[in-house]
Amino acid sequence: MWCLELLLPLLFLSDVSGQWNVWVPRDISAMTNSCVVIPCTFMYPSGIRPYRGTHGIWYFGQPYPQLFPPVVFKSRTDVVHESYKGRSKLLGDLNQRNCTLLINNVGSEHSGRYYFRADLGGANMYTYPDFAELKVLDQPNIDVPEEIVSDESLELTCYAPDNCPDMTPEIQWMYTDYLPDPEFSSDYVEESNTAVLSSTLTFIPRPMHNGQLLGCRVYYSNTTLVYERLISLDIKYAPRSVWVNVSSEVMEGSSVTLHCEVDSNPPSRISWMFGDQEVVWDTASNISLSLDDVTPAQEGLYTCVGDNSYGAMNTSLYLAVKYPPREPQVNESVTVVEGASLALHCSTQGSPAPTLTWLKDGELVGTITADELSVLEISEITPQGDGLYRCLAENEHGRASSSLNVTVEYAPVLLDESKCTVVREGVQCVCMATGNPEPAIEFYLPDLNVTINETDGRFNFYTHTDGHTSTGMIKLREKGERVENGPAVNVHCSISNVYGRESVLLELQQEKKYMMAVIVGTIGGVAVIAFIIAAVRYVGHNNKKEKTGIIRLWARFQAWRGGS
């Protein structure tokens, strides 16, 4: 604490110009209910001699007596303003030009400007325009930087005025237990005969300390006076966490909301990005992106970006849009030649990826593929490869299919049903062949040097086509000589289309019904002859026995023949 002796050197200073001057501290402070000493030294022209001593008056608020400012202290009388009764006291010796003032038990109503007026007697009275401004504090001051940045060293200083001779302040920091390695230091500053005690707290703040309280407590030993000041830490930091939904799956056509929260100070500019496109943004602590009637085009990576003047951070999620397979894309229907190779392509889209299955005429062909593309390769295709091919796409949400026709063209092939058969009317020749395009059929009779390819009354030529199968038929009325095993037949069948021609000799086959009739007829003739011979012999040896027995025997034979 400074002492009044510090003022003594000032008393011997003389004003060279001989003017009215006063020295007081421009600013001085005190805690509520404590006291305050306002140092004061005044001067007056050297030619003036005080009359009946040197007197002085302290005013509050105004320097002009005519405005009737409150009197704080008056050396000639004890008349003062009621708010200063029993509180004000002059510590200095006016004769020594020391006008130092003590005010006890100050309150907030005592905050303001204090002016000194010198009274040297007679007309030598002067109010000095310079003033001391008193600030009465109900809590200590804490010097807080304009900006507190995370991870940068921070100093906070708490101040307590020490301008009361009988009271010495002490400073204590509050709520520092959670701080990382705090350091404390004290300082005592005297300036212009005013004193201030300070305590500095040093630590490195973290984002977790934002919004937490710190306090400074000032107390005076041997008194009950305690003063506290609390501050909330406003710590600036870059985004340290960006929280979003977990990656999710939604069905096509449904709605979904993507949430994002950013921890930063000050609040970040938050934006949702889809690829390189900014979809929505706001300056806040959180933001939501609502998607309605979701389509597969909206599937992808969504990134939430938080950015403030201290840094940036982002977090992404993947939005998967589930939907049934789309209608597969397949080749156009195709026509190929037997022996060629071809590849049938089937592609589709679906989520999850569909399985692709190739079916031919309803039967599985190839392998089942779990992909969005399937290729069915057919090497050296045969006529059996002709038909309807369908690609079926399936996943857990549905199925779809597309079809194409594969037409295989090939040279004619003679079928086993081709032959000549002996019938009652003569010989019937049938020629059957398959091919694509359907084959043309002709018959050739080399013995007659005749080619039959159209309706001919002599041969009853007939043709029929069913799909890729052609049938030709003729009937030969054979009236000439017969060989031992039947009529002589020499018939060739010629089959042809754009891919080939073939001519074959048709084999002769006896029709089963006709052969049975010949066999039965021959047996019957032999039986009749045997019966006649037996009957003649019977009559000759038995001298014309009864005719009745013969008649009965004949009837039985006729019945047997008829059954055959």
Side-chain angles (χ1 to χ4, degrees), residues 328 330 346-347 356-359 374 389-393 400-403:
V330 298
C346 176
S347 62
L356 296 178
T357 305
W358 278 103
L359 303 171
S374 177
Y389 288 78
R390 183 165 71 103
C391 178
L392 175 63
S401 66
S402 295
S403 301

Side-chain angles (χ1 to χ4, degrees), residues 423-431 441-443 445 448 450-464 471-479 491:
V423 296
R424 291 183 181 274
E425 297 81 1
V427 176
Q428 177 178 282
C429 294
V430 176
C431 183
I441 296 179
E442 295 180 339
F443 290 97
L445 306 179
L448 301 178
V450 174
T451 298
I452 305 171
N453 55 13
E454 59 183 12
T455 302
D456 190 318
R458 296 176 299 167
F459 305 106
N460 289 337
F461 178 72
Y462 167 81
T463 60
H464 173 70
T471 303
M473 183 176 63
I474 61 173
K475 286 185 179 181
L476 304 176
R477 295 180 177 84
E478 181 61 49
K479 297 182 180 180
V491 178

